[in-house]
Amino acid sequence: MKRTTGQNRSITRNWRPATQAVRGGTWRSEQGETSEALFLTSGYSYDSAESVAARFAGDEPGMTYSRLQNPTVEMLEERIALLEGAEAARCQATGMAAMTTALLCQLQQGDHVVAARAAFGSCRWLTDTLFPKFGIETTTIDSRDNAQWEAAIQPNTKVFFFETPANPTMDIVDLAFVCGLAKSRGITTVVDNAFATSAIQRPMDFGADVVAYSATKMMDGQGRVLAGAVAASAQFMEEKLLPFQRNTGPNISPFNAWVVLKGLETLDLRIRRQSENAMIVGRFLEGRVPKILHPGLESHPQHALAMRQMSACGSIFSFVLDGGRSQAMGLLNGLQLIDISNNIGDSRSLMTHPASTTHHSVGPEVRAEMGVEEGMIRLNVGLEDPQDLIEDLDQALRMVGL
Ligand SMILES: *Cc1c(COP(=O)(O)O)cnc(C)c1O
C-alpha cells in the first residue's frame, strides 16, 4: 500500500476541494486499482515475531488491529481532513459516536459546557442526561445571540458545542464571533457540521477547533450507511481523541468507510444541486405556508450571516403550519412522491414532523424552549426535478386546505 504518485501531504494540501473529494487520501496497493480498495479485515499478520513487537513498540510502521488502524478507514480519514482544512480526522460508527467521542474525550468531572439549545435530539440527551451522571454541567443558550455565549462562560467552561444551521429550527451561529470568543478564553469549540459539510461551510476557516459529523447525512448522501467523523488538530487527536477512541472502540466498519469514500466523490455536486433545488422549492412554499425557516431565503432573520458563512444554503429547511400536529401530519400523509422519513442529506426528498420523531425524546418543555413547534415540518430536498417536488407539495397542501 502506498499513497498514489505524488500524493505527499505538501502537494495534496494545495488541491482544491473538488479535487480532494475525488482523490484526497487515496492509497494504492501493488495491483494499482483506480477505486479505493476495501480492506474488510479485523487483524494483520506479520513476517516475524520481532516485526510485530516493533510495530507495537511504535518502532516500525504498519497496522496491528482494525480498532487501531485500517487502510480503507485511513483513506476516508485523510480525505475528510483534507476537505475540512484540518490536520487530522478520525471516523466513528455513527454521528452520535462522533459527538460522544469528540466531547467525552476532553471532558471530565467538574467541567462546564455551553451548548446551543437548538440541537439534534440525541445531542441534547448527551448534555441533559448523560453528562450530569459524570459531573459535567451544561448551560444551554439561544445560540443565535452572541451575548448569551459570553454571559454563560464560567471559570470551569471547557467546551462550546453547537450546530449551524441547527436541526430543525435552522438557527445560525456566528462562527467567527463564537469561535473567536472561545479562543480568547481558552475554550474548545466543537461544531456539528452535518447540515452543511465542508463542501459549503468550513468552520475551521472561522477558528473552530473541532468539527464533528454525522457522515450518515450529506457525506454518504444516498441513505446507505451510518457513519461519523471528527476533524481536529494533530495534537488534539494524539492527546485527547485517540486514547479515548482506541480504548472505547466506537470505530466505523471498513465497509461503511468505503461507502462514504464513494459518497464524497459526488458530495460537492450533490450539495450544490440539492441547494439549488431547495431554493426553488423554498420560493414556492414561501407565501404558501404561514412560516418558513430557510437560510437561503431573505425572510430568514439570519440570512445575511448564513450566506457569509456558507457558499450555498444546503438541502434542508423547515416550515410551520398553523394547524399544529394534525395539519402537519395531514400534509405528510398526502405526499405521493416525497417520502415520510426522518433522515436527511439523502438524494431523495424526505419530510418529517420533528416534534413526533427526531425531537420526540427531548419532551415538550425542551421542544418549546428550542422552538420546535407542533406544526413544524422539516424537508430535505433531494436530486429529483424540483418541479415534480413542487407539484407533490402543491397537491398535499391543497388536501390540508392550504
Ligand atoms: C443525524 C444527526 C446526528 C446523529 O448522527 P447519526 O449518524 O444518526 O448517529 C447528529 N447531529 C446532527 C445535526 C444530525 O443531523
Side-chain angles (χ1 to χ4, degrees), residues 9 76-78 80-82 86-91 229-232 237:
R9 276 288 187 118
L76 176 62
E77 292 170 340
E78 264 189 60
I80 289 172
L82 287 163
E87 287 175 358
R90 286 291 182 274
C91 288
V230 180
M237 285 301 166

Side-chain angles (χ1 to χ4, degrees), residues 210-321:
V210 180
V211 182
Y213 278 103
S214 170
T216 313
K217 310 295 169 53
M218 283 303 317
M219 287 197 194
D220 168 32
Q222 288 143 91
R224 300 169 295 196
V225 297
L226 298 179
V230 180
S233 68
Q235 189 183 3
F236 181 91
M237 285 301 166
E238 279 306 320
E239 293 174 5
K240 305 264 167 72
L241 190 133
L242 278 178
F244 184 93
Q245 173 149 338
R246 287 183 168 146
N247 293 297
T248 59
N251 303 57
I252 189 171
S253 133
F255 178 77
N256 290 359
W258 181 84
V259 172
V260 178
L261 272 167
K262 299 290 105 189
L264 287 179
E265 292 179 8
T266 56
L267 171 65
D268 193 73
L269 276 177
R270 285 184 286 105
I271 200 162
R272 288 188 194 281
R273 174 62 73 86
Q274 287 180 245
S275 297
E276 279 171 32
N277 290 356
M279 285 303 300
I280 295 168
V281 175
R283 287 212 180 89
F284 162 77
L285 282 171
E286 196 170 37
R288 184 76 179 268
V289 296
K291 182 169 157 193
I292 185 162
L293 303 160
H294 188 313
L297 294 176
E298 269 152 36
S299 59
H300 190 291
Q302 296 173 290
H303 169 70
L305 171 64
M307 292 300 107
R308 271 206 306 279
Q309 302 181 165
M310 300 162 78
S311 62
C313 68
S315 67
I316 304 145
F317 65 88
S318 297
F319 55 95
V320 184
L321 305 183

Side-chain angles (χ1 to χ4, degrees), residues 94-96 120 163 167 192 194-195 214 216-217 227 344:
T94 67
M96 284 321 301
F120 185 67
E163 300 166 19
N167 187 4
D192 179 342
F195 272 38
S214 170
T216 313
K217 310 295 169 53
I344 49 170

Side-chain angles (χ1 to χ4, degrees), residues 16 27 42 54 64 83 93 108 112 131 157 170 174 194 227 244 249 297 302 311 324 331 333 347 382 384:
R16 290 160 188 81
W27 305 6
S42 47
T64 54
L83 285 167
Q108 63 182 46
H112 175 249
F131 289 2
T157 304
M170 308 309 290
D174 185 337
F244 184 93
L297 294 176
Q302 296 173 290
S311 62
L331 179 67
N333 290 333
S347 51
E384 303 95 337

